[in-house]
Amino acid sequence: MTPRTAIGAFASAFGVVVGVVGFAAVAAAVLVALGLPAQGRADDGLPPSSSPEPRPSTLVVALDLRDPVRQAGVVKGGDVILARGLEIDIAREIARRVGIPRVRFVYVRSATRLLAATAPPWHFGIASIRATRGSAVAAELSDPYLVTDQAVVLRRGLPRLTTLGQLRVLRSCALRGSDGARALADVVVPALSPALPSRPDRLFQLVQTGACDAALVDADDVGRFVAGRGALLGPVAARVAYGSGFSVAITRGGPIGAAEVGRALSRMRADGTMHRLARTWLQIDPARLRVLR
């Protein structure tokens, strides 16, 4: 190729490039004039992308320290140190299963204040929170990790119950004003008027002496009710379904979602972890008691 031919070819190619660039510039100008984005209309109507909140290295969990068996510890500067209890172990197990290596516990004076916080500095709260309309508005709620049913404690000599009808004809009792008393009225509807003492020791005496055939006791507390006194009572072999259970309250918009916590709890139930923790702290796993129907 001669120098003149090469120069002509270069000029011709350069003209094509200039033409393409010029066309692109004109097209961009037309799009701007029409009020359209220069990159085209493929993503019209889509919200701007936002980067997800980074995964924390420490899970911050709010407690109210209301029940020493479910959660206890020493409060120092708002933090709970030397934390122990059923709900403490559940929170640590959730953290492990969602891949967060450390857990920090903070103290909130009551579950009501925990739910009332508008911008809580914790990722979730675990404080025997019941699934109610108010709590569902304040936070995302997990599936229950602990049932709030009523365990049936029989007097000595009675066979184990298998149906609600069998309980209905017995002489029943529960603490006055308790969930047990409400379950008797709402679910059991006993044929005989129940005894409603005001003190737990009196409730125990009624069952021990046979003045009451069957006492309804909070299922998560029945292990303490019979602890060391099982020989004086009959079996704890059934429960009456009552209440929505206790749930984890997850802060909305945080890095941990309710579905993720729910999956962790489901795996804990499936592999026996929840049963082991309940037996360790409550002596009896309420979920393993037969539901009377």
Side-chain angles (χ1 to χ4, degrees):
M1 178 182 294
T2 65
R4 182 183 297 273
T5 305
I7 292 171
F10 176 79
S12 176
F14 182 77
V16 171
V17 173
V18 169
V20 171
V21 173
F23 176 79
V26 171
V30 170
L31 290 173
V32 170
L34 293 175
L36 300 177
Q39 69 270 27
R41 302 182 62 180
D43 59 351
D44 279 4
L46 295 179
S49 60
S50 58
S51 58
E53 186 174 339
R55 196 71 163 177
S57 60
T58 299
L59 185 70
V60 183
V61 179
L63 310 173
D64 69 353
L65 304 181
R66 184 170 42 175
D67 185 319
V69 171
R70 290 198 282 264
Q71 48 180 258
V74 177
V75 179
K76 184 177 181 180
D79 286 352
V80 182
I81 60 175
L82 304 176
R84 62 190 304 273
L86 172 65
E87 292 173 329
I88 302 297
D89 284 353
I90 290 174
R92 287 180 172 138
E93 189 66 25
I94 291 172
R96 186 183 72 82
R97 290 175 187 252
V98 301
I100 299 179
R102 291 182 294 276
V103 182
R104 174 181 162 229
F105 296 102
V106 297
Y107 173 59
V108 181
R109 188 171 296 277
S110 68
T112 302
R113 291 184 60 185
L114 186 154
L115 290 170
T118 55
W122 51 81
H123 298 118
F124 68 68
I126 183 166
S128 303
I129 296 167
R130 297 174 186 265
T132 64
R133 180 177 298 178
S135 60
V137 169
E140 291 187 275
L141 299 180
S142 73
D143 296 331
Y145 59 85
L146 185 64
V147 299
T148 53
D149 294 342
Q150 293 297 303
V152 181
V153 183
L154 298 174
R155 66 169 173 82
R156 286 180 300 175
L158 282 182
R160 296 173 182 269
L161 305 180
T162 57
T163 69
L164 199 59
Q166 293 171 329
L167 175 60
R168 189 166 287 129
V169 299
L170 297 179
R171 291 169 295 179
S172 55
C173 54
L175 286 176
R176 183 179 299 123
S178 68
D179 280 351
R182 287 184 283 272
L184 284 175
D186 298 343
V187 181
V188 179
V189 191
L192 303 173
S193 296
L196 301 174
S198 59
R199 303 189 319 272
D201 59 336
R202 178 59 180 156
L203 182 66
F204 174 82
Q205 290 171 359
L206 290 175
V207 184
Q208 179 190 1
T209 60
C212 171
D213 293 322
L216 264 62
V217 179
D218 290 345
D220 59 295
D221 199 45
V222 70
R224 281 179 280 185
F225 183 79
V226 303
R229 305 182 291 187
L232 303 175
L233 303 169
V236 182
R239 59 186 163 109
V240 174
Y242 193 77
S244 57
F246 295 139
S247 300
V248 179
I250 301 103
T251 300
R252 294 186 187 279
I256 311 299
E260 192 173 10
V261 173
R263 286 192 295 270
L265 292 173
S266 180
R267 291 194 297 268
M268 290 166 65
R269 286 188 290 268
D271 65 16
T273 299
M274 196 66 75
H275 173 66
R276 174 179 56 80
L277 293 179
R279 288 294 301 268
T280 298
W281 291 104
L282 306 178
Q283 285 76 58
I284 293 175
D285 180 4
R288 297 290 180 95
L289 298 175
R290 175 198 295 268
V291 178
L292 298 180
R293 305 189 188 282

